[in-house]
Amino acid sequence: MEKTLAKGLTLLETLARLGHPVGVTEAAKAVGLQKSNAHRLLRSLSELGYVRQIADTGRYELTLKLWEMGSRVIARLDIATEATPTMRKLAALTRETVHLSLLEGDDVVYVHKIDSPHPVRAYSAIGGRAPAHCVATGKALLAFQPPDAVDVSKVRKPFTDATITDPLDLRRELERIRKQGHAVNKGEWREGVFGVAAPILDASGRAVAAIGLSGPQDRFRPKAMKAWTPLVMAAARDLSRA
Amino acid sequence: MEKTLAKGLTLLETLARLGHPVGVTEAAKAVGLQKSNAHRLLRSLSELGYVRQIADTGRYELTLKLWEMGSRVIARLDIATEATPTMRKLAALTRETVHLSLLEGDDVVYVHKIDSPHPVRAYSAIGGRAPAHCVATGKALLAFQPPDAVDVSKVRKPFTDATITDPLDLRRELERIRKQGHAVNKGEWREGVFGVAAPILDASGRAVAAIGLSGPQDRFRPKAMKAWTPLVMAAARDLSRA
DNA sequence: GCCGGCCGTTCCACGATACGGAACAGCCAT
DNA sequence: ATGGCTGTTCCGTATCGTGGAACGGCCGGC
């Protein structure tokens, strides 16, 4: 493993995570490096265009280069922009937060969202992650993966009392999702946060993304969920042609 | 300059630019590395979570990690999401492509856009760049930078016959933009592509971003521009409070 | 069915390269 | 003036990355 590369990338990650300009000393401490080492890396990153030094304070901050590269990554699967109108429609009909998620390892990554107009709503960020086995979009994605792509028997971490941890339960849940065509989450990730989601399929029937609603339990009562489910499924179907 | 870091990042850039999975040999050729070197870098990047190897073909592709980091970068200046409603309104009123740009060095970077519904429209990509001195949003940004932050006398490259290259002309142009509060581009970057833009200011009067319209010359006739300019300026003013 | 060429992968001795402690210069508040 | 902070520079040393050559598997053409 190339040590220098690892250090440099960790430094970039740290800068991105902190989200504000940092000095050499602070950066070194945050990443666990020698001050001179951090300094050298920052200078190199600056030369490579990933980082810039603020003239008066001497601190370093990220340029937009990382973001540009990131944009290219998603442009490839330009689902995000393509899905916007459909998501917007779904948001207007339900007045709940709409998410578009991709599967990345054992997590879902939120690639796009439209926030609910309600003042009380679950927090989430574009680019954020959640364990796939305990959110609606994640379960929808897992259920429609190619056979053997999902290791059901792997041990899953619980996050609330409702989290599915038993392999057999998960297998049954995924089967039910396949049969019904949609997934439901009743506070399995965050206490009191519910959701409904459906998979977006490619021509071969594999899920490439999932679209879903989520919000506080009091607004996700059985009656509301029943009304929304066909809307979510219709939106997913709408995006599934490709 | 840390060689390993530079190589690794160049490799990531290349993967992002190509936008499709690449094999070790191909990657090595594209970046100008030894095959074994490229292989080692790809393995490390994979271990660090930036890259994944596709099981059956053996090729490597980017994960979403870069994109996640990139999202954090603009989340910081979360203008993009905040500006969406205003941009949408402007797009609806004018039926032209709306851009939101930031200044990055001598370039503008498009951080958000809403495409014109017209079939004929200028091409641009989110995350894309253009030289600041010859697009409308760029000139709006330059005009409202702190004094001495812009080196007017630096030599600028021409791209069309209309590009401003004379330092004195540029200085006058920026002064006019400051006075009028908006900038205009008449094919100074791409032949036949016009635009109008206005700066988004922070409390101190510095431009942190710019919003603008752009499209083909035939739709950007004087009369239309005159009608749109106040709309663009109103949108920019709307986003300027913070 | 064999063979040639391509692929991704591994190995290892050499030598360039990154490391990190210590010292420097500038700034600010005490 | 002084002490403690900052970002920065230097340099000998050992570590770490390097790249050529070789391996095994896969595929397509003869």
Side-chain angles (χ1 to χ4, degrees):
Chain A
M1 157 81 72
E2 341 257 332
K3 235 175 158 183
T4 314
L5 180 56
K7 287 181 187 176
L9 288 171
T10 309
L11 188 49
L12 282 178
E13 284 176 44
T14 306
L15 290 181
R17 185 163 34 80
L18 294 179
H20 58 82
V22 294
V24 172
T25 315
E26 186 183 351
K29 208 179 306 170
V31 189
L33 292 175
Q34 217 61 18
K35 193 168 64 159
S36 60
N37 198 346
H39 180 252
R40 222 168 334 108
L41 288 170
L42 283 169
R43 288 212 2 130
S44 295
L45 287 174
S46 156
E47 206 166 322
L48 294 167
Y50 289 85
V51 151
R52 108 172 45 94
Q53 184 169 28
I54 303 170
D56 49 354
T57 66
R59 279 204 266 268
Y60 292 86
E61 69 178 357
L62 290 175
T63 64
L64 286 178
K65 184 155 183 174
L66 259 189
W67 176 79
E68 291 176 55
M69 290 168 65
S71 317
R72 291 240 180 75
V73 176
I74 308 228
R76 174 174 42 124
L77 9 133
D78 52 8
I79 291 175
T81 52
E82 194 182 326
T84 303
T86 303
M87 290 176 69
R88 189 163 297 278
K89 235 177 288 171
L90 188 56
L93 288 170
T94 62
R95 299 174 55 80
E96 295 296 341
T97 300
V98 179
H99 276 118
L100 184 73
S101 309
L102 301 188
L103 193 60
E104 178 93 357
D106 293 331
D107 295 338
V108 290
V109 178
Y110 298 120
V111 296
H112 197 24
K113 73 162 179 186
I114 292 172
D115 274 319
S116 163
H118 287 118
V120 43
R121 57 173 201 250
Y123 171 79
S124 72
I126 291 183
R129 283 178 177 263
H133 70 287
C134 50
V135 297
T137 51
K139 291 195 290 185
L141 278 160
L142 290 176
F144 288 85
Q145 290 304 305
D148 305 333
V150 179
D151 182 7
V152 186
S153 62
K154 192 193 306 184
V155 181
R156 318 271 165 168
K157 271 187 294 188
F159 295 92
T160 69
D161 294 346
T163 306
I164 302 176
T165 53
D166 183 46
L168 214 65
D169 287 347
L170 183 59
R171 175 188 301 274
R172 269 195 293 259
E173 170 76 351
L174 295 184
E175 261 163 34
R176 214 184 53 198
I177 292 167
R178 266 189 293 274
K179 200 178 300 170
Q180 297 179 156
H182 72 271
V184 166
N185 163 20
K186 297 186 176 174
E188 298 158 33
W189 163 232
R190 300 297 195 199
E191 204 75 61
V193 177
F194 280 32
V196 204
I200 297 173
L201 308 173
D202 67 9
S204 74
R206 176 176 169 274
V208 294
I211 187 171
L213 300 173
S214 64
Q217 177 167 4
D218 9 316
R219 288 204 302 270
F220 278 65
R221 302 195 178 284
K223 208 166 138 187
M225 303 261 283
K226 193 160 288 178
W228 290 336
T229 299
L231 300 178
V232 174
M233 291 177 69
R237 216 175 307 118
D238 182 35
L239 294 170
S240 289
R241 49 107 190 83
Chain B
M1 159 77 74
E2 341 257 331
K3 233 174 158 183
T4 315
L5 180 56
K7 287 182 186 174
L9 289 172
T10 308
L11 187 48
L12 283 179
E13 284 176 44
T14 305
L15 290 181
R17 184 162 37 78
L18 295 178
H20 58 83
V22 293
V24 172
T25 314
E26 185 183 352
K29 207 179 307 170
V31 189
L33 292 176
Q34 217 61 18
K35 194 168 62 159
S36 59
N37 197 347
H39 179 251
R40 224 171 329 111
L41 287 170
L42 283 170
R43 289 212 1 131
S44 296
L45 287 173
S46 155
E47 207 166 321
L48 294 167
Y50 289 84
V51 150
R52 105 171 51 91
Q53 185 169 27
I54 302 170
D56 48 354
T57 65
R59 279 205 266 268
Y60 291 85
E61 69 178 356
L62 290 174
T63 64
L64 286 178
K65 185 156 183 173
L66 258 189
W67 176 79
E68 291 175 55
M69 291 169 63
S71 320
R72 291 239 180 77
V73 178
I74 29 165
R76 174 173 42 124
L77 10 133
D78 51 9
I79 291 174
T81 53
E82 195 182 325
T84 304
T86 302
M87 291 176 68
R88 189 163 297 279
K89 237 176 288 171
L90 188 57
L93 287 170
T94 61
R95 299 175 55 80
E96 294 297 340
T97 300
V98 180
H99 277 119
L100 184 73
S101 308
L102 299 188
L103 192 62
E104 178 94 356
D106 294 330
D107 295 339
V108 290
V109 178
Y110 299 120
V111 296
H112 196 24
K113 73 160 180 187
I114 292 171
D115 273 320
S116 163
H118 286 118
V120 44
R121 57 173 202 251
Y123 172 78
S124 72
I126 291 183
R129 283 178 178 263
H133 70 287
C134 51
V135 296
T137 51
K139 292 196 290 184
L141 277 160
L142 290 176
F144 288 85
Q145 289 305 303
D148 305 334
V150 180
D151 182 7
V152 186
S153 62
K154 192 192 307 182
V155 180
R156 320 271 165 170
K157 272 186 294 188
F159 295 92
T160 69
D161 295 344
T163 306
I164 302 175
T165 53
D166 183 45
L168 213 64
D169 287 345
L170 183 59
R171 175 190 300 275
R172 270 196 292 262
E173 170 77 351
L174 295 185
E175 260 163 35
R176 213 184 54 197
I177 291 166
R178 265 190 293 274
K179 201 178 300 173
Q180 297 180 158
H182 72 270
V184 165
N185 164 20
K186 297 187 176 173
E188 298 157 33
W189 162 231
R190 300 296 194 200
E191 205 74 60
V193 177
F194 280 32
V196 203
I200 297 173
L201 308 172
D202 67 9
S204 73
R206 177 178 168 273
V208 295
I211 187 172
L213 299 173
S214 65
Q217 177 167 4
D218 8 316
R219 288 204 303 270
F220 278 64
R221 303 197 177 281
K223 207 166 140 189
M225 302 261 285
K226 193 161 288 180
W228 290 337
T229 300
L231 300 177
V232 173
M233 290 177 70
R237 216 176 307 119
D238 181 36
L239 294 170
S240 289
R241 52 103 189 86

